Amino acid sequence: MPRAQSVSKADLEDRVARFTQGFGARGGYRIPTRDDRRAVTEGVALVLDGKETEARTRLAEVDFTVRTFTETVGGRRFAEVSDAAARTDGANRGWGRVYIDLDAPPRWSVQVPHPIADLDTERLGARVLRGTPGGVLVVAGAHRTAGRGDAADVAHRTDSVFHAVVSELMDRGLPGVQLHGFADDSFPRFDAVVSTGSGNHAVADARRLATAFGSAGLRVCRAWERDCKLSGTDNVQGRAADREDRRFLHVELNTSSRADEAGLEASARAVATVVDGWAGP
């Protein structure tokens, strides 16, 4: 039986940033088989159910593992489901990581499909997770261009570990917010785009988030009210959420709004206005 692994204490944001910093624009991704995806997803499900020993056994079948640690900023305990080798070189399979709050029942998720490519969205995701109890953070394991063609672009592929895990969270009824980034000059009229993807099950949440971004000084394009670039209508996780009648938010932030400490913190606080409600009383 695999032995429990622990990192003792760690800064969640730093741990996520160190994981993603080695991602290159070419190489470091392998398309998982259906069995690979099933093994990782079932391992994550076992952690969510509090069955960490069983999770380690299942994950070991694909050389994944569970590490636990206490977060140095907020003091909560987290589980990290990740490649056992923890590599970020060209030999990495690129299947990503999942971070789960162990001190509260799972209630919501934050998703980062394009770390490094959408600069600092991985840091923003970590801040959102540690700011509100009951969260699950799903981080892609490679740059979006790392695979052949669009193989590593997990926001537009259903054959990824990322999509399989997010689908499991949806099956459990968890609402989710997915974080993206864009260059300032690609949509200069706005600093942020808030969308419910291809569905409309989270319009109230979207309004609350857009208001929070506006209060932080961002110019927000509200995709349920007008046509917006970058609204994520072809996002496969958003389409799955629509089919399952789940709440899903697709968020795009320009470079300036996440370029420094103040911007990241303001954006994290804005997202928290939504996930705090999802976390419940």
Side-chain angles (χ1 to χ4, degrees), residues 148-207:
R148 180 174 296 180
D150 69 345
D153 185 356
V154 298
H156 300 97
R157 299 276 298 220
T158 59
D159 59 350
S160 69
V161 168
F162 182 94
H163 183 74
V165 170
V166 171
S167 296
E168 171 66 25
L169 300 177
M170 289 180 193
D171 288 345
R172 291 168 175 258
L174 273 64
V177 55
Q178 191 170 113
L179 306 175
H180 295 260
F182 65 95
D184 291 2
D185 59 3
S186 66
F187 201 13
R189 292 179 55 198
F190 295 98
D191 305 306
V193 180
V194 177
S195 169
T196 58
S198 63
N200 60 0
H201 305 290
V203 173
D205 299 312
R207 288 196 180 102

Side-chain angles (χ1 to χ4, degrees), residues 1-64:
M1 189 73 68
R3 296 181 62 185
Q5 298 189 38
S6 178
V7 186
S8 184
K9 293 186 177 182
D11 182 302
L12 175 66
E13 182 179 344
D14 180 66
R15 194 163 179 84
V16 171
R18 285 189 289 111
F19 167 59
T20 59
Q21 69 184 1
F23 292 178
R26 293 289 183 270
Y29 187 74
R30 192 182 86 202
I31 298 174
T33 67
R34 181 176 298 180
D35 288 343
D36 293 332
R37 299 193 300 270
R38 182 181 297 115
V40 177
T41 302
E42 289 180 358
V44 169
L46 287 165
V47 176
L48 292 169
D49 292 336
K51 301 176 180 179
E52 293 177 36
T53 299
E54 294 92 330
R56 290 186 176 93
T57 300
R58 183 67 171 112
L59 291 166
E61 297 175 20
V62 288
D63 295 323
F64 258 57

Side-chain angles (χ1 to χ4, degrees), residues 74-93:
R76 292 206 304 277
R77 294 183 309 119
F78 288 93
E80 174 192 272
V81 177
S82 61
D83 195 307
R87 297 173 301 199
T88 56
D89 57 18
N92 186 32
R93 295 175 292 181

Side-chain angles (χ1 to χ4, degrees), residues 219-234:
R219 299 166 299 167
V220 184
C221 191
R222 296 163 169 82
W224 63 96
E225 294 180 350
R226 57 178 297 165
D227 289 335
C228 298
K229 293 175 63 176
L230 309 169
S231 58
T233 55
D234 60 349

Side-chain angles (χ1 to χ4, degrees), residues 57-127:
T57 300
R58 183 67 171 112
L59 291 166
E61 297 175 20
V62 288
D63 295 323
F64 258 57
T65 192
V66 182
R67 299 175 176 91
T68 60
F69 62 91
T70 298
E71 220 278 322
T72 55
V73 175
R76 292 206 304 277
R77 294 183 309 119
F78 288 93
E80 174 192 272
V81 177
S82 61
D83 195 307
R87 297 173 301 199
T88 56
D89 57 18
N92 186 32
R93 295 175 292 181
W95 295 349
R97 287 186 177 182
V98 182
Y99 290 88
I100 300 166
D101 183 357
L102 295 177
D103 287 339
R107 299 284 181 82
W108 56 274
S109 77
V110 55
Q111 307 154 21
V112 181
H114 300 147
I116 299 299
D118 291 355
L119 189 63
D120 287 333
T121 53
E122 63 277 1
R123 289 185 177 275
L124 178 58
R127 292 186 184 207

